[in-house]
Amino acid sequence: DAGVIQSPRHEVTEMGQEVTLRCKPISGHNSLFWYRQTMMRGLELLIYFNNNVPIDDSGMPEDRFSAKMPNASFSTLKIQPSEPRDSAVYFCASRFRVTEAFFGQGTRLTVV
Amino acid sequence: GNSVTQMEGPVTLSEEAFLTINCTYTATGYPSLFWYVQYPGEGLQLLLKATKADDKGSNKGFEATYRKETTSFHLEKGSVQVSDSAVYFCALRENFNKFYFGSGTKLNVKP
């Protein structure tokens, strides 16, 4: 298996623009997580899905952030409008039942 | 609530030195505990785990023992290598889904 696949690996955008990050979990995994990593705050859980249903989105910082999982093999994290403070590395991870989480390589987002 | 506290870094060691990275946790139930490692430019990878008290997780020379009495899961390695330089995250999972991560400890190993 290719592991968790995230795209793009790097994204540079201007403040105010919409940004969409994509994730393809490992086939057969039924839980998907979106994390944000910054120097200041470390690794933060933004939202997680179980069987494509959002279970806990309490980590989503504000209404500018939204996440969807239309099917078991795809999820998006959207920021609209983006701001410089959204600059971070965004990780997607997936898991099957009670196993450990497998992480993608991350998307490095820079908002200028 | 649930939380993980790990020692602040960076930790700088010479090759072949002994490594300890402290991790303590707070949980309302009976969590599973994990150590993840993040190499530069990559995502987190599972290093080892323990699912119940007194279990010892081990991998690649690293080990950690789940100590319920001290609510700790310290990471140790007897002889570190330059290739071990990375950021190490302690984490717990209490219910079936949610992970709680520590802030990460950067390890620098010098030749």
Side-chain angles (χ1 to χ4, degrees):
Chain A
D1 197 311
V4 176
I5 299 173
Q6 292 186 243
S7 64
R9 288 296 308 277
H10 302 274
E11 176 82 32
V12 180
T13 191
E14 291 186 345
M15 183 173 63
Q17 296 298 305
E18 177 180 295
V19 175
T20 299
L21 311 181
R22 296 172 176 80
C23 175
K24 183 180 187 309
I26 293 173
S27 178
H29 282 194
N30 64 336
S31 295
L32 184 140
F33 307 81
W34 280 102
Y35 287 91
R36 177 172 68 178
Q37 185 180 39
T38 61
M39 289 292 293
M40 292 296 294
R41 294 185 299 272
L43 202 60
E44 304 171 277
L45 175 64
L46 300 178
I47 184 172
Y48 76 90
F49 296 85
N50 194 40
N51 294 325
N52 313 339
V53 176
I55 301 300
D56 185 350
D57 66 354
S58 58
M60 296 286 263
E62 18 187 307
D63 291 344
R64 298 183 297 107
F65 285 69
S66 62
K68 293 182 180 180
M69 192 165 185
N71 56 61
S73 59
F74 185 65
S75 178
T76 59
L77 177 67
K78 185 178 293 186
I79 308 172
Q80 165 63 22
S82 58
E83 297 182 3
R85 61 195 169 111
D86 300 331
S87 298
V89 180
Y90 290 81
F91 288 103
C92 176
S94 71
R95 193 168 74 100
F96 175 68
R97 292 186 182 175
V98 296
T99 66
E100 66 271 16
F102 293 79
F103 282 75
Q105 292 192 296
T107 295
R108 182 173 294 278
L109 173 65
T110 303
V111 183
V112 297
Chain B
N2 299 319
S3 66
V4 176
T5 302
Q6 59 182 107
M7 61 190 290
E8 287 198 23
V11 174
T12 301
L13 297 173
S14 298
E15 207 165 22
E16 299 184 3
F18 184 87
L19 168 71
T20 300
I21 300 178
N22 290 336
C23 171
T24 56
Y25 67 89
T26 302
T28 53
Y30 304 95
S32 295
L33 302 174
F34 304 80
W35 276 101
Y36 278 81
V37 58
Q38 183 181 30
Y39 298 103
E42 298 186 11
L44 280 69
Q45 304 171 27
L46 179 68
L47 180 60
L48 54 84
K49 66 180 180 181
T51 58
K52 61 183 186 297
D54 299 325
D55 271 2
K56 178 185 284 188
S58 60
N59 185 27
K60 300 180 181 179
F62 291 88
E63 59 182 34
T65 301
Y66 187 162
R67 301 283 188 204
K68 189 178 178 184
E69 63 275 14
T70 54
T71 62
S72 65
F73 193 55
H74 304 321
L75 182 68
E76 297 181 334
K77 186 175 186 182
S79 176
V80 293
Q81 306 300 311
V82 173
S83 57
D84 294 327
S85 297
V87 180
Y88 292 81
F89 291 89
C90 185
L92 74 81
R93 187 194 71 225
E94 184 167 47
N95 60 29
F96 284 140
N97 280 304
K98 199 165 184 175
F99 280 78
Y100 297 83
F101 284 87
S103 55
T105 302
K106 186 173 185 179
L107 171 66
N108 295 318
V109 180
K110 296 183 176 181

